[in-house]
Amino acid sequence: MTQVLLCKNRNSGFIVAVQILIDWNHQSDWEVFNRTGISHLVAISGLHITMIAGMFAAIMAALWRRSFFTKAALPLLLPAQKVAALSGALAALCYVLLAGFGIPAQRTLYMLLTVALALWSGRITSVSHVLCVALAVVLLIDPWALLWPGFWLSFCAVGVILYTSVGRSQAVAVEGKSRIARFLDVLKMAGATQYAVTIGLLPLTTLLFGRVSLIGPLANALAIPLVGLVVTPLTLFASVLPAPLSTWLWRGAHALIGQLAVFLNWLSALPFAVWQAALPQPWTFALALLATLWLLAPRGWPLRWLALAGWLPLLLDNGSRPGAGEMWVTALDVGQGMAVLIETADHRLLYDSGPAYSPASDAGSRVIVPYLRARGITGLDALVVSHNHDDHSGGALSIMNNVKVNTVYSSLPLDHPIVTAAADHRRCNDGQDWQWGGMKFDMLYPDLDHYSVQEAAQEASKKHNPNTDSCTLKITHGAHAILLPGDLETAQERKLVARHAGQLKANVLLAPHHGSGTSSTAAFLAAVDPQIAMFQVGYRNRFRHPQRQVLERYQALGIEALRNDQDGAIMLKFGASIVADTYREQHRRYWYGR
């Protein structure tokens, strides 16, 4: 089922807003747009701005030449070309302001303003100079624009078009040609441009997003002319015309976009729609970039086909992996929540899935899945959802919808959506254990009796604290171990110490309940005796985790404390020893203030 809405978008001017609700494959609208490579059309597009500017310029030039059908002889006062350039530039400025002044829109606006200024000053412009001026203006106004993918994609796309066209395109004679022949010439030129942009941006798209839309050229071949030349003008005219004319235009645009949405949804569902890859290393990206320039070089360039070999390291890169005998632990920076990825050379386990940020956004879709894709990880052997709180289970469904998960361990109620969506669900149970190569997994809490108490409380409509259900997992790798206790509180810590006093010792401890004052008792810390503690907390979280007295307790015992809010993602490598590193230490920036 697909539902399509046309409306005035406050962020994109009078732009088509398409909402696609897909019930058979549960893809979001933006996921469909990204998989088909047409996101630039749904949001503000440089093509739309240029079209609007050209339309206003043509209208004003025609009226100015006719002196607005008066005898004022306006062209004698000011040439129509200058009036057209000024009108187009002003129309583009208004449109870009309505669109939210995004970087791609800024690039188009500054290029148009540069051309208009050159025309008014009587100077000759070259397209490359115009692009460089726009680039300089964008960076002067906002140097941080370099951090936005849209900056690189927008300028590089235009750069690729210039690289493959300026000085190469030949004038095509139109005299004596039929309309069909002229149409085929235009189609051939558009196809060549689409080919150049697709090939030229492949290394950059892989670097920024870790995936490339293989069906993008086909989707754009239909969507660009339909949205740019038909739907957008219809919606613009509908915005200014009175009813019932506006209603007819809206309905016409709605019908066209509806059919386009059905086609895009079908394309997006194809198994080969998107090629996934790990984010490339610097040398593989540089090599692929040089190979791309070689491949797109002018005809006559020697052995252009050999450039394909330069893509092989990029295409075959599976991402970084732990070596034999190693285990990597990554405490992801998901805000106020938990998500810890455990990796060996052959297996992956994720403990908790981070928080839900809003009904439409969670740590799974915003942090964890992009991280897994960037690392080239396409599946998880196991997902442990410790208990039924949103900061631990909020991203699980997004992860399960985007990444293959073999087994889900949880303490959730059996009718919970995560449980019903799992291909293989197992309840966390004291005594549960398994091995993957050199890793041993021991589930220490809760036991089966605890679930009986939980279900009885629910039947009696008594208030139940899900923290008491937290799956507690100990992972042993050679001489080292890590303990993951979820949100256990004081009473549960006492039970653990009483039942598994000799089994709790671990080198690394995930601080229970984010460092809350209700956890991390002295007896529990003494039984675990960790060297490193990881605090998964959000920056300036409203719970003020970790509590000062708890943090002082860890410090008094000589335990090294690593925190997501201060250090970013925490990475531990287990081998002969444990090596700790943090994202902010690896990627230092001056705005970290350290």
Side-chain angles (χ1 to χ4, degrees):
M1 174 182 175
T2 303
Q3 177 185 356
V4 182
L5 300 175
L6 291 173
C7 64
K8 296 180 182 179
N9 187 301
R10 64 180 180 181
N11 293 324
S12 302
F14 298 112
I15 297 297
V16 180
V18 184
Q19 181 183 5
I20 302 179
L21 304 177
I22 306 161
D23 56 4
W24 61 83
N25 58 6
H26 304 287
Q27 296 181 95
S28 68
D29 47 359
W30 280 109
E31 181 67 13
V32 173
F33 301 147
N34 289 332
R35 288 177 64 85
T36 54
I38 66 146
S39 301
H40 62 100
L41 289 175
V42 181
I44 189 67
S45 168
L47 179 64
H48 298 163
I49 299 171
T50 306
M51 181 186 67
I52 298 302
M55 182 178 67
F56 273 85
I59 292 173
M60 285 301 298
L63 293 175
W64 196 263
R65 287 192 182 97
R66 293 165 178 78
S67 299
F68 291 90
F69 304 98
T70 68
K71 297 181 179 181
L74 296 178
L76 298 179
L77 301 176
L78 188 63
Q81 292 91 336
K82 291 188 175 182
V83 173
L86 179 61
S87 302
L90 291 176
L93 175 61
C94 294
Y95 194 75
V96 170
L97 290 174
L98 285 172
F101 218 66
I103 292 174
Q106 290 184 47
R107 188 263 307 161
T108 307
L109 173 64
Y110 298 146
M111 291 183 71
L112 291 173
L113 291 177
T114 302
V115 172
L117 183 61
L119 180 63
W120 270 73
S121 60
R123 294 178 178 272
I124 298 176
T125 60
S126 72
V127 182
S128 58
H129 292 168
V130 171
L131 181 64
C132 290
V133 169
L135 175 65
V137 173
V138 168
L139 292 180
L140 283 173
I141 294 176
D142 182 13
W144 280 28
L146 287 168
L147 300 178
W148 289 95
F151 170 86
W152 295 99
L153 291 173
S154 179
F155 280 98
C156 289
V158 178
V160 167
I161 294 173
L162 298 182
Y163 176 69
T164 56
S165 61
V166 173
R168 304 192 204 179
S169 301
Q170 298 179 354
V172 179
V174 296
E175 294 183 3
K177 285 192 173 184
S178 65
R179 291 184 178 180
I180 295 178
R182 291 198 297 269
F183 173 76
L184 291 177
D185 287 339
V186 172
L187 194 63
K188 181 180 178 181
M189 185 177 298
T193 301
Q194 184 64 45
Y195 161 80
V197 171
T198 301
I199 297 298
L201 293 183
L202 190 146
L204 182 61
T205 305
T206 306
L207 177 67
L208 294 175
F209 305 113
R211 62 178 180 174
V212 177
S213 174
L214 299 180
I215 58 172
L218 176 60
N220 278 280
L222 176 64
I224 287 177
L226 181 63
V227 174
L229 300 179
V230 182
V231 174
T232 300
L234 285 177
T235 56
L236 288 168
F237 285 127
S239 302
V240 296
L241 291 177
L245 292 177
S246 61
T247 303
W248 297 339
L249 293 179
W250 281 119
R251 288 179 177 175
H254 183 282
L256 291 173
I257 274 293
Q259 294 305 310
L260 176 63
V262 172
F263 176 66
L264 293 177
N265 177 70
W266 175 77
L267 282 180
S268 175
L270 295 174
F272 55 84
V274 173
W275 173 69
Q276 294 284 158
L279 293 187
Q281 301 177 49
W283 72 271
T284 60
F285 172 74
L287 183 61
L289 190 60
L290 290 175
T292 302
L293 295 176
W294 191 357
L295 183 64
L296 296 177
R299 289 182 180 179
W301 194 268
L303 301 174
R304 286 195 302 169
W305 59 272
L306 274 180
L308 296 175
W311 282 0
L312 291 179
L314 180 73
L315 299 175
L316 300 177
D317 187 5
N318 290 325
S320 57
R321 294 284 189 275
E326 281 190 323
M327 179 177 75
W328 292 0
V329 175
T330 306
L332 298 168
D333 186 4
V334 293
Q336 184 65 19
M338 281 187 185
V340 180
L341 180 65
I342 313 293
E343 303 175 75
T344 63
D346 303 313
H347 297 281
R348 310 285 182 273
L349 177 143
L350 181 67
Y351 183 86
D352 276 338
S353 59
Y357 304 128
S358 71
S361 173
D362 56 63
S365 60
R366 291 297 182 90
V367 180
I368 299 172
V369 170
Y371 177 78
L372 295 177
R373 286 175 174 169
R375 293 280 314 284
I377 299 173
T378 58
L380 296 172
D381 295 280
L383 168 64
V384 179
V385 181
S386 63
H387 62 287
N388 193 18
H389 268 161
D390 274 351
D391 58 331
H392 296 255
S393 62
L397 288 176
S398 293
I399 295 169
M400 296 164 68
N401 288 335
N402 289 278
V403 176
K404 182 182 178 182
V405 179
N406 293 340
T407 305
V408 175
Y409 295 87
S410 80
S411 61
L412 303 173
L414 296 179
D415 59 349
H416 195 281
I418 295 174
V419 175
T420 57
D424 177 23
H425 176 263
R426 304 178 188 182
R427 272 191 156 179
C428 298
N429 177 26
D430 183 8
Q432 211 168 34
D433 63 81
W434 67 94
Q435 289 191 356
W436 290 341
M439 286 197 303
K440 187 175 186 299
F441 296 81
D442 292 288
M443 197 71 70
L444 306 180
Y445 185 86
D447 55 24
L448 293 179
D449 293 338
H450 177 84
Y451 293 111
S452 301
V453 174
Q454 175 197 76
E455 292 165 0
Q458 290 176 345
E459 290 177 1
S461 299
K462 293 182 179 179
K463 189 174 180 180
H464 177 71
N465 182 6
N467 288 344
T468 64
D469 305 333
S470 295
C471 299
T472 300
L473 181 64
K474 181 182 179 182
I475 305 172
T476 305
H477 183 270
H480 306 298
I482 179 172
L483 185 65
L484 308 170
D487 278 359
L488 289 188
E489 298 187 353
T490 301
Q492 291 73 50
E493 290 183 355
R494 287 178 186 153
K495 288 182 180 180
L496 273 178
V497 172
R499 291 181 185 177
H500 304 287
Q503 210 176 348
L504 294 179
K505 186 173 177 59
N507 307 84
V508 179
L509 171 66
L510 179 63
H513 202 183
H514 318 280
S516 165
T518 62
S519 306
S520 298
T521 59
F524 179 74
L525 293 181
V528 179
D529 190 23
Q531 299 154 16
I532 299 173
M534 300 186 300
F535 291 86
Q536 289 209 276
V537 292
Y539 179 67
R540 290 188 174 181
N541 63 87
R542 63 190 179 95
F543 306 102
R544 297 185 179 181
H545 292 160
Q547 294 287 330
R548 179 182 298 178
Q549 68 273 20
V550 173
L551 197 58
E552 290 174 350
R553 193 177 303 154
Y554 280 86
Q555 292 170 346
L557 294 172
I559 303 170
E560 181 183 2
L562 300 174
R563 302 170 48 167
N564 284 139
D565 60 338
Q566 295 180 354
D567 303 308
I570 302 164
M571 292 150 283
L572 305 177
K573 293 185 178 181
F574 289 66
S577 60
I578 300 176
V579 179
D581 206 347
T582 64
Y583 180 86
R584 293 190 180 182
E585 185 65 28
Q586 290 183 352
H587 305 80
R588 294 192 176 192
R589 300 291 185 268
Y590 71 86
W591 55 80
Y592 291 157
R594 295 173 58 187

